[in-house]
Amino acid sequence: MGSPPEPLNQLSRSYIYAIHGYFLEKIFAAMVGDDSPFQRAGSPGSFLVYGGCGLCMESIYLGLRTECCLLTRCIMYILCIYSWEFGTGSLLSLFGACPWDYSGYSYHLAGLVALEYFLFWFVGSLLLEKLVICPTLRVLLAEEWKAKKKPMPRFELKDD
């Protein structure tokens, strides 16, 4: 018949996580009252940030899904998100390119991480696991579908 279906490769999964993160950022910005989140172009680096963080969260899920309860995994996801946000924010700040600044918040770390978003990250990581990571890991790529060749019908005019 053919080769068995294969799971999505790492780059494809990263792309799915990146698009998911990008659109959630836009939706969140619209919900909290940002003036024009859909008119502003997002940073191309945000796709790398979201894709990389998604892959890290996926590895946490794969490593802990049988060992830990959902609550523990969500806490681990939040630690991953905060670490990723702090690390990428620090790196981008070195080049003066960090697009976020949380220094106006009461509980922040160097203006790069806002601890006030803990609840949002908790709910977001729960939804990410259930609605994005699990289904993405289940997607399988099968062989390309090809139509079976059928003979073309012949039309002839007949004398009556």
Side-chain angles (χ1 to χ4, degrees):
M1 166 114 168
S3 61
E6 298 177 6
L8 292 176
N9 62 29
Q10 194 173 25
L11 182 62
S12 299
R13 294 190 319 270
S14 174
Y15 183 70
I16 290 170
Y17 302 144
I19 290 175
H20 172 76
Y22 178 78
F23 282 111
L24 280 184
E25 173 188 346
K26 295 298 181 184
I27 291 169
F28 181 75
M31 285 177 23
V32 297
D34 195 353
D35 293 334
S36 56
F38 295 104
Q39 293 175 352
R40 241 180 347 171
S43 167
S46 66
F47 283 99
L48 294 172
V49 171
Y50 292 130
C53 189
L55 288 175
C56 286
M57 292 173 70
E58 175 189 285
S59 65
I60 291 171
Y61 168 73
L62 291 172
L64 299 179
R65 66 182 168 189
T66 59
E67 305 295 322
C68 298
C69 67
L70 182 61
L71 176 65
T72 305
R73 287 195 310 270
C74 284
I75 302 256
M76 295 299 289
Y77 296 148
I78 292 168
L79 290 173
C80 174
I81 290 168
Y82 279 145
S83 300
W84 199 266
E85 188 175 28
F86 188 81
T88 56
S90 298
L91 181 66
L92 291 171
S93 293
L94 292 174
F95 301 103
C98 186
W100 64 89
D101 180 18
Y102 297 127
S103 56
Y105 288 79
S106 299
Y107 304 102
H108 68 88
L109 298 173
L112 299 173
V113 174
L115 299 177
E116 284 94 333
Y117 287 145
F118 180 86
L119 185 59
F120 290 112
W121 287 129
F122 182 85
V123 173
S125 64
L126 172 68
L127 294 174
L128 183 77
E129 178 183 306
K130 297 300 179 188
L131 300 177
V132 181
I133 293 175
C134 291
T136 300
L137 290 171
R138 286 190 204 114
V139 172
L140 298 175
L141 297 177
E143 286 184 24
E144 182 179 345
W145 180 81
K146 294 180 184 174
K148 294 180 183 176
K149 290 189 178 187
K150 295 181 181 177
M152 292 293 294
R154 292 185 60 183
F155 297 100
E156 296 177 7
L157 296 175
K158 293 188 178 183
D159 294 334
D160 283 329

